[in-house]
Amino acid sequence: TITVNPNVTPAFAPVAAICSGATLAPLPTTSTNGINGVWSPALNNTTTTTYTFTPDAGQCATTATLTITVNPILSPVINCGVSTTSSVSFNWAAVSGATGYTVSYQINSAAPVNVGSVGNVLTYQVTGLTGGDNVTITVTPTGGAGTCFAAASATCTASACTPPTANIN
């Protein structure tokens, strides 16, 4: 009598998606159905990767795969807009998945001003400046469940002088 045992496919709980660079816990070396083995390739927390579990010899088990999704970190690219002696405008392109933005700014080395949520607006103007003031703005995307956002900053300078006007008679 020859007994042929069926191959068992190792089973694993799915791993939730992470943001690029986040810590990844080591993958279990024993499946939920009791198969021991090793994973390859090495864990990578910067790109979506499919890992292969190879059972130890003598277990009548097949290989299994597990994909861990790594989401990129998205942040706005901020540009200086119109600058006058009393104001500076900033603008940025929409960030994929964002449903709004929060803004804060700092004039020269003064205390930061937290504006808070500006909704889905893609511009912001800082007023009450003096010519030559440096304004640093920080814009953070918000919303979009499952997406990874990071703040971005840019510095722009209020125009140093009022453009001359000519009176012609």
Side-chain angles (χ1 to χ4, degrees):
T1 301
I2 298 175
T3 302
V4 177
N5 293 321
N7 278 332
V8 176
T9 300
F12 295 92
V15 175
I18 64 165
C19 294
S20 181
T23 301
L24 264 175
L27 294 174
T29 56
T30 302
S31 68
T32 56
N33 52 350
I35 306 298
N36 296 316
V38 295
W39 290 96
S40 64
L43 287 177
N44 183 343
N45 67 349
T46 62
T47 188
T48 297
T49 304
T50 298
Y51 300 93
T52 301
F53 180 80
T54 303
D56 293 341
Q59 296 184 86
C60 293
T62 61
T63 60
T65 60
L66 178 68
T67 299
I68 299 177
T69 301
V70 176
N71 294 317
I73 296 176
L74 306 173
S75 62
V77 175
I78 305 167
N79 298 302
C80 296
V82 175
S83 174
T84 69
T85 56
S86 62
S87 69
V88 173
S89 295
F90 296 88
N91 56 65
W92 56 92
V95 174
S96 179
T99 58
Y101 302 88
T102 60
V103 170
S104 64
Y105 66 87
Q106 184 175 15
I107 301 170
N108 299 319
S109 58
V113 175
N114 183 15
V115 176
S117 177
V118 294
N120 207 17
V121 175
L122 302 175
T123 62
Y124 189 79
Q125 183 180 48
V126 177
T127 58
L129 304 175
T130 301
D133 281 347
N134 290 311
V135 181
T136 301
I137 191 170
T138 301
V139 178
T140 306
T142 59
T147 51
C148 304
F149 297 126
S153 296
T155 300
C156 301
T157 304
S159 297
C161 61
T162 304
T165 57
N167 293 325
I168 300 174
N169 293 324

